[in-house]
Amino acid sequence: MTRRYVAFEGVDGAGKTSVAAGVAQRLAARGFDVLTVREPGGTATGEAIRDILLGLGGVVADWAEALLFAAARSQLASEVVGPALAAGRAVVSDRSVYSSLAYQGGARGLGIEAVRRVNEAGLGGVWPELVILLRLDPAAGLAREDGADRISTAGIPLQSRVAEAYDLLAAAEPERLVVVDASAGFEAVVAASEAEVLRRW
Ligand code: TYD
């Protein structure tokens, strides 16, 4: 059975949330049984962790941050994504483990491999088959952001390192990570992303 698990990734403000929703809607219209999720969050435990991670004014050390993202993801994998995939459903995710590899592993400097290992431990093989990287200039992304959170307020220096890390990941795993130019208009980005999904499904 084909496992259908696609995640949307990109710097803050790249448009993942709306593009993921647009693609999910089109796939559902084609008859796929689609579940949409977002990270961090998607479970009661995960939403509580999200408040700790993104609340303004909180103090979260770098490894605590990485482990909290991994904890929220582990809960989502065991409670929601794993069972959905096992039931043959398609899962469209707004962010995934690749956010942790780029933000915590790359941008925060914890090491992509170290962050990959802690996440692997918590995910039991629930890993996106396809990752659509919406590539956008970090400054353009931050300009598009409406609400600031603890991570986006770190600004352009952090987002530039995130963008670099995503590019490294895309080069290292070209069969899994597909780059889509997020500066094209919304409809064009949704269409290009949907085409990549349909090529595999
Ligand atoms: P998100 O809600 O997707 O915000 P945005 O729409 O602004 O991109 O993600 C919230 C923030 O959390 C965002 O700055 C990226 C960050 N993040 C990580 O640093 N690591 C992770 O593993 C995840 C899932 C998100």
Side-chain angles (χ1 to χ4, degrees):
M1 186 174 71
T2 317
R3 271 184 21 139
R4 300 191 171 101
Y5 180 13
V6 56
F8 286 82
E9 292 285 351
V11 295
D12 287 48
K16 298 165 311 301
T17 306
S18 30
V19 173
V23 171
Q25 204 175 25
R26 286 191 180 205
L27 293 170
R30 288 181 187 275
F32 290 103
D33 178 11
V34 181
L35 174 72
T36 57
V37 294
R38 74 159 179 182
E39 291 195 21
T43 64
T45 299
E47 292 293 333
I49 295 173
R50 180 182 177 93
D51 291 342
I52 298 173
L53 280 165
L54 300 182
L56 289 168
V59 176
V60 186
D62 289 349
W63 263 111
E65 181 179 285
L67 294 169
L68 283 168
F69 276 118
R73 179 170 303 120
S74 175
Q75 187 67 35
L76 185 68
S78 72
E79 197 179 318
V80 179
V81 179
L85 294 173
R89 301 189 69 190
V91 176
V92 174
S93 185
D94 177 359
R95 296 199 179 274
S96 72
V97 62
Y98 284 85
S99 288
S100 282
L101 301 184
Y103 283 75
Q104 283 67 50
R108 296 287 200 209
L110 300 179
I112 288 175
E113 285 315 309
V115 172
R116 186 189 292 271
R117 277 195 298 276
V118 296
N119 276 275
E120 273 171 355
L123 292 180
V126 176
W127 200 272
E129 268 75 42
L130 172 61
V131 176
I132 295 184
L133 173 55
L134 299 181
R135 187 186 275 142
L136 187 70
D137 171 55
L142 280 185
R144 278 187 189 176
E145 281 276 280
D146 37 11
D149 60 50
R150 193 183 55 81
I151 292 178
S152 62
T153 51
I156 289 176
L158 184 82
Q159 296 297 322
S160 300
R161 293 197 296 275
V162 170
E164 271 170 38
Y166 274 132
D167 285 347
L168 276 177
L169 289 162
E173 293 187 71
E175 69 297 340
R176 195 185 312 269
L177 274 79
V178 173
V179 178
V180 168
D181 174 11
S183 68
F186 174 74
E187 289 299 333
V189 177
V190 169
S193 302
E194 186 197 22
E196 290 296 343
V197 174
L198 291 177
R199 253 161 27 99
R200 281 151 225 258
W201 294 5

